[in-house]
Amino acid sequence: LAGLIFFAAVVGGWITIFQARSRIKRAEEALYRGDFDAATRDARRVVRTVFRADYQMGALFTLALAAERLGAFPEAATLFGRALAMIPAMAAQRPRRRASALLAAHATLGFAAMNDLARAGEMLARCHRELGPVGQPGALESLLLMDDSAFGAIGVNTMMVELENRREPRPLAVLAWTLVMLKSGQPQQALAALAHEGQSLVYGLAPHEQALAARVHAVASRQCGAPALPPPESAWAASIVA
């Protein structure tokens, strides 16, 4: 009887994990459609029912993205921080650093939108550390912390590899840096970064993030006394820069 109970518990646990995987995918698809209620509902279900760190991180990240898009920046920054803390300790180096940089960049935007420049600076520094050169893995990582994302849903690193459709975190990190520079009274540095990273921002940012970059450029140009095109209408971007 004990053996049957143990076997049933293991099978039930894996069924829950695979269901959670489907729910997170549905939540992401709803998020991209703009259905934030459905995205939040599925992500919360995963947070309540699955205790694997990688699934908790993915669900919290989805909740944070929904809050960010809705303009609830205090909640978004807190959720991104919680997701950052849930990155598995046994994660491989490259997926861990990519996920950490992406989460820290999003958190920087949230704190900067709240004009909490101290915490925005801390998250930005964390993001830059993670984006730094990746060293060679040590012996322990070579043996135990291998990237198992090819295993699909059972891989510890899968969720980190697939965050936000595998987007590269650097363009978002640049956008976060320019926003912090603007709000810190350094518009020249913001303009220099936007000019230097222009191509990567065009291809590496979502439309609402591109609208934010355009608004940062317009405000920074105005503060420097330089001409600038009017930014596209975006209440979301305006609420961050205001």
Side-chain angles (χ1 to χ4, degrees):
L1 181 60
L4 287 174
I5 292 173
F6 175 78
F7 179 75
V10 171
V11 171
W14 279 110
I15 289 174
T16 302
I17 287 173
F18 283 109
Q19 287 178 339
R21 177 75 173 165
S22 299
R23 286 196 179 97
I24 290 177
K25 295 298 290 184
R26 285 204 309 267
E28 291 173 348
E29 292 167 0
L31 187 67
Y32 297 137
R33 292 196 309 268
D35 189 351
F36 302 118
D37 287 340
T40 300
R41 187 165 54 250
D42 279 325
R44 280 180 175 166
R45 180 72 180 272
V46 175
V47 170
R48 289 196 302 266
T49 59
V50 180
F51 298 99
R52 261 183 54 164
D54 51 343
Y55 282 80
Q56 285 276 318
M57 182 205 65
L60 288 168
F61 181 68
T62 304
L63 287 171
L65 283 179
E68 181 185 79
R69 292 298 307 276
L70 289 168
F73 298 112
E75 291 81 358
T78 300
L79 287 166
F80 282 125
R82 286 180 59 191
L84 194 56
M86 290 302 297
I87 290 179
M90 297 297 288
Q93 187 183 52
R94 287 184 181 276
R96 175 182 57 78
R97 294 186 71 165
R98 176 192 170 274
S100 297
L102 192 59
L103 288 164
H106 274 293
T108 300
L109 288 178
F111 285 125
M114 298 157 54
N115 294 316
D116 187 345
L117 297 183
R119 286 195 284 181
E122 292 172 4
M123 281 295 179
L124 190 59
R126 169 77 181 269
C127 179
H128 286 170
R129 286 197 302 272
E130 300 295 349
L131 286 173
V134 179
Q136 294 296 319
L140 177 63
E141 180 161 301
S142 298
L143 292 174
L144 299 177
L145 308 185
M146 298 174 64
D147 185 356
D148 57 358
S149 55
F151 294 163
I154 65 173
V156 173
N157 300 285
T158 300
M159 197 68 65
M160 289 179 290
V161 170
E162 296 184 356
L163 283 181
E164 277 200 287
N165 289 328
R166 299 173 178 255
R167 78 180 291 187
E168 182 63 34
R170 179 178 171 80
L172 186 65
V174 172
L175 176 62
W177 190 83
T178 62
L179 180 63
V180 171
M181 289 300 101
L182 178 66
K183 295 213 168 193
S184 299
Q186 303 177 68
Q188 298 91 345
Q189 285 85 339
L191 287 176
L194 289 170
H196 185 265
E197 299 285 346
Q199 277 304 105
S200 66
L201 296 182
V202 169
Y203 294 105
L205 296 179
H208 64 287
E209 294 164 348
Q210 291 178 6
L212 175 58
R215 184 165 290 272
V216 169
H217 184 273
V219 174
S221 298
R222 186 167 64 247
Q223 291 180 0
C224 293
L229 294 173
E233 288 295 326
S234 171
W236 182 81
S239 69
I240 293 178
V241 177

